[in-house]
Amino acid sequence: MTQHLELGIDTFGDVTDGPDGTPLSLPQVLRNVVEEAVLADQVGLDFIGLGEHHREDFAISAPDVVLAAIAGQTERIRLGSAVTVLSSDDPVRVYQRFATLDAVSNGRAEVILGRGSFIESFPLFGYELDQYEQLFDEKLELFAALRNENAVTWTGRTRASLSEQRVYPPTASGALRTWVGVGGSPESVVRAARYGLPLMLAIIGGEPARFAPLVELYHRALEQFGQPTQPIGEHSPGYIAATDQQALDEAWPYFKAMQDRIGRERGWGPMSREQYEQTAGPDGALFVGSPETVAAKIARTAATLGLSRFDLKVSMGALPHEKLMTSIELYGTEVAPLVREQLA
């Protein structure tokens, strides 16, 4: 039996180096992201997800606006966030923005809701970190109600209550496709199941196979909540070049610089080449290598976890735009056919 697997890309709009080795401006990075999405559409990839950040090393702070620009230059690729930080946003406005994107893209919009891996949006928008859990719990509850596209009555402590309030515009399909992004917390997995929402696993370290118990938990929770079976996706970083060695060597300095920069903020030690190659090895979370190597790893992971979607996070620190374009082209033209052949 053939396992159907959607193949997509994610990017945070990492600030990349230009031809002379100096960082590009954030406006230029945003234009390059649109170009990368157009190429992904042309080579037959299924989805592009844009991450939301509010810091100087990532250019995308308003994914839905960039996605609207992409919608006008593409034909079939699905358009979503990766993720929308719901805790520091308003569920009504998020739903309105993505429902509007769905309309102008002729039904191609979806949203991945999460808490994000950074906290800079909390002080920026006036939220307290001691409400971290409550904010997401309440706002996801409201967003799930909004997806029914009926009049909503809701009461919470983190935003104004609603009484028989309708939210516009509705989607043509009657429900905006909505995922919940999780990083490995069982509580987050159960929360997604409670609302019957598809699960997107952010696997950026360790072994993807070790997430199998969370997948099993998700299926059990869906059944216990009386929810139908839902898709499961995976988001993992990677880079593709003609050979394994070329891919490893080209991505290494940029991946290390990014990891070390974030690590200094979080108290991690510097990344070694040995750690990098282990993470990029057959059992690691980094999908770096030739088309054959990456395809085999995606197919194996998809089979192990029962995935319906795999999104390769193609942006990798300051790795130049031109190399990202080559990686995306190889992903669509060589990796995708190999994955589908191996899953057949």
Side-chain angles (χ1 to χ4, degrees), residues 247-285:
L248 286 166
D249 290 344
E250 289 182 351
W252 159 244
Y254 301 101
F255 188 74
K256 173 179 170 55
M258 177 183 65
Q259 288 292 102
D260 289 354
R261 181 178 68 249
I262 296 171
R264 285 191 292 273
E265 300 173 6
R266 301 183 178 185
W268 306 340
M271 169 169 269
S272 69
R273 178 73 184 224
E274 182 182 8
Q275 290 172 316
Y276 166 71
E277 295 204 9
Q278 182 177 5
T279 306
D283 299 321

Side-chain angles (χ1 to χ4, degrees), residues 92-292:
V92 173
R93 293 297 288 143
V94 172
Y95 198 88
Q96 288 178 323
R97 296 196 303 263
F98 279 88
T100 300
L101 174 66
D102 196 63
V104 300
S105 66
N106 196 24
R108 290 187 282 144
E110 52 190 75
V111 60
I112 304 177
L113 305 173
R115 292 180 289 184
S117 58
F118 296 91
I119 58 172
E120 72 276 355
S121 63
F122 283 77
L124 182 64
F125 298 116
Y127 293 97
E128 298 295 333
L129 282 173
D130 61 7
Q131 290 186 295
Y132 187 82
E133 292 290 343
Q134 183 184 19
L135 282 164
F136 191 72
D137 282 345
E138 286 197 0
K139 292 185 177 187
L140 184 61
E141 179 186 52
L142 175 53
F143 198 94
L146 294 169
R147 288 187 69 247
N148 296 324
E149 299 192 351
N150 298 317
V152 172
T153 297
W154 178 89
T155 301
R157 302 196 326 187
T158 56
R159 80 172 308 281
S161 299
L162 298 178
S163 178
E164 289 297 302
Q165 181 70 54
R166 288 187 175 272
V167 174
Y168 302 100
T171 61
S173 66
L176 179 67
R177 190 180 192 190
T178 303
W179 304 68
V180 175
V182 304
S185 161
E187 293 79 10
S188 297
V189 170
V190 172
R191 183 190 291 115
R194 179 184 303 121
Y195 297 111
L197 295 174
L199 184 71
M200 181 60 66
L201 298 167
I203 303 179
I204 59 175
E207 299 177 12
R210 295 178 65 181
F211 282 71
L214 289 179
V215 170
E216 183 180 348
L217 172 64
Y218 178 64
H219 289 309
R220 289 202 315 270
L222 284 171
E223 184 177 355
Q224 290 174 5
F225 287 121
Q227 299 286 3
T229 301
Q230 296 294 339
I232 297 172
E234 175 183 344
H235 153 107
S236 288
Y239 176 68
I240 306 159
T243 68
D244 289 345
Q245 197 62 53
Q246 180 184 350
L248 286 166
D249 290 344
E250 289 182 351
W252 159 244
Y254 301 101
F255 188 74
K256 173 179 170 55
M258 177 183 65
Q259 288 292 102
D260 289 354
R261 181 178 68 249
I262 296 171
R264 285 191 292 273
E265 300 173 6
R266 301 183 178 185
W268 306 340
M271 169 169 269
S272 69
R273 178 73 184 224
E274 182 182 8
Q275 290 172 316
Y276 166 71
E277 295 204 9
Q278 182 177 5
T279 306
D283 299 321
L286 192 57
F287 289 70
V288 172
S290 67
E292 294 79 11

